[in-house]
Amino acid sequence: MTIAPLSDLAVLPGLSPVQMIGIPLALIGAVFLSLGAMYQHRGVSKVEAASGTSGAAGLNLKHLLALLSRPSWVIGTAMLGLAVVMQLSSFVFSPIIVVQPLGVVSLLLTTLLTARAIRQRLPNVKIFAVALCIIGVGAFVTVAALFAKERAISDEQVATVLVLLAVVVVVFGTAFFFLRKRFKALIYVLGAGVIYGFVATLAKITINRIQHDNFEWLTLICLVALLVATGVGGYFVQNAYASGPPDMVIAGLTVIDPIIAVGIAIAVLGEANAAPWYAFLMFVVSGAIAVTGVFVLERGQTDAEVEAVRRNAVEGRGTQDAQGHRHDTEARVIEQ
């Protein structure tokens, strides 16, 4: 009797023990993503306060240069860098439709940290919104783990992804140029989420083609497109920080981003070709639930809460409790 190698033994249909390694890596990345978002939001808020101008209509060059000298923003950027390293490491082991949605864990963590920072209880609408996001993404990743099959990526599939990315960048770039004074946090978040969904896909494509000894000019174009899209998406994220609290930004990045990435993996890369029809129905239903959670979260944000989060980021102070007493947040390890 022959014994199958470890890589061929499936813990779940479609996933081997080796491929399961990507799941804890993605979860660690989610923690870094949450912490990085909190620190970057603090840096953007402090830069706005110091300059006396809002970046809600689009951060200018002066804002961006000032961020580089703000320690909290630099620390947040470093943490986001670690999140990216963990995410890319997870791609080495697991299909994108399994590990990419796990970033939703950072939404729960960021929401709790934000509420704790301003000393406010989570309102019911926010609890409901976060629950929708987690349930939707949780169902999504469960179905994906059952039916995901990774395969070599062809030149035609790569070209399709690059064309779609070009269209997305042109659409959001045009909208930003003409409508930036009317943009709200949700629009910036949607833009960043969609673009970062392509970033994740391009990263997975690059890793996949290297693993299959297929690194040539088209793969190099993917790498360049990945860097450009990362820059564009990063700019949208910073503008989102200037327009809303960090949990709103993370909601978009951990829900919109994976839905786009998984949608591409299913429709273009064929990672779910072996899935039955009811699995696709589950993808649609669970994805709709998760996206609904993002919109409910945005609708549940009050101006008072947004201002409290911004004030806490700038001054390190909490808000008043139900009896009208002001509470200072606990001492920070870093106060920049």
Side-chain angles (χ1 to χ4, degrees):
M1 182 181 67
T2 60
I3 299 177
L6 182 63
S7 59
D8 292 335
L9 296 175
V11 175
L12 292 172
L15 286 187
S16 69
V18 172
Q19 289 177 312
M20 294 288 288
I21 295 174
I23 293 177
L25 292 175
L27 292 175
I28 294 171
V31 174
F32 281 120
L33 176 62
S34 176
L35 295 175
M38 297 293 292
Y39 276 97
Q40 276 204 332
H41 178 268
R42 183 185 302 179
V44 171
S45 298
K46 285 180 175 291
V47 164
E48 285 185 293
S51 66
T53 58
S54 172
L59 294 172
N60 55 38
L61 183 60
K62 183 178 179 181
H63 285 132
L64 296 176
L65 292 176
L67 288 174
L68 297 175
S69 63
R70 181 61 60 182
S72 54
W73 187 86
V74 174
I75 291 171
T77 302
M79 289 184 175
L80 291 179
L82 291 173
V84 170
V85 170
M86 292 295 102
Q87 182 185 53
L88 293 180
S89 299
S90 72
F91 289 165
V92 173
F93 296 98
S94 307
I96 192 172
I97 66 176
V98 173
V99 295
Q100 186 67 6
L102 294 176
V104 76
V105 171
S106 64
L107 171 59
L108 176 61
L109 182 58
T110 305
T111 301
L112 293 175
L113 289 175
T114 300
R116 185 170 184 268
I118 62 176
R119 295 296 179 91
Q120 283 186 347
R121 293 183 59 186
L122 284 176
N124 290 335
V125 65
K126 182 167 287 191
I127 295 174
F128 178 63
V130 172
L132 285 178
C133 291
I134 293 176
I135 291 171
V137 174
F140 202 109
V141 73
T142 299
V143 177
L146 291 173
F147 299 106
K149 290 287 186 181
E150 191 170 359
R151 61 196 71 231
I153 300 173
S154 68
D155 291 351
E156 291 75 14
Q157 290 171 321
V158 176
T160 300
V161 173
L162 290 173
V163 170
L164 291 174
L165 173 61
V167 172
V168 166
V169 171
V170 169
V171 169
F172 277 103
T174 302
F176 175 77
F177 183 80
F178 290 105
L179 302 174
R180 62 183 181 275
K181 294 186 182 300
R182 299 175 59 184
F183 267 34
K184 295 183 178 180
L186 181 61
I187 303 299
Y188 289 124
V189 166
L190 289 175
V194 171
I195 292 173
Y196 274 139
F198 277 91
V199 169
T201 303
L202 290 172
K204 180 61 179 177
I205 288 175
T206 302
I207 292 172
N208 180 281
R209 288 171 74 86
I210 291 174
Q211 289 176 325
H212 289 85
D213 298 322
N214 195 19
F215 190 88
E216 29 62 274
W217 66 272
L218 194 56
T219 308
L220 185 60
I221 292 177
C222 275
L223 192 57
V224 173
L226 186 157
L227 295 175
V228 173
T230 300
V232 175
Y235 180 68
F236 269 72
V237 168
Q238 303 312 312
N239 281 288
Y241 288 143
S243 308
D247 53 351
M248 182 65 219
V249 179
I250 290 296
L253 294 182
T254 58
V255 175
I256 305 300
D257 172 342
I259 286 177
I260 294 298
V262 171
I264 296 172
I266 292 173
V268 180
L269 304 185
E271 288 191 0
N273 283 351
W277 67 268
Y278 57 83
F280 290 96
L281 179 61
M282 287 291 293
F283 283 139
V284 173
V285 172
S286 57
I289 291 173
V291 173
T292 299
V294 176
F295 281 92
V296 172
L297 184 62
E298 193 275 337
R299 296 291 295 177
Q301 301 282 3
T302 64
D303 292 338
E305 182 182 359
V306 173
E307 179 57 32
V309 173
R310 181 172 286 111
R311 184 172 61 247
N312 176 74
V314 175
E315 303 175 3
R317 294 179 180 176
T319 57
Q320 292 182 345
D321 61 17
Q323 288 74 40
H325 300 110
R326 176 170 293 283
H327 295 279
D328 289 342
T329 55
E330 65 275 5
R332 310 281 184 190
V333 176
I334 299 174
E335 277 293 348
Q336 281 87 8

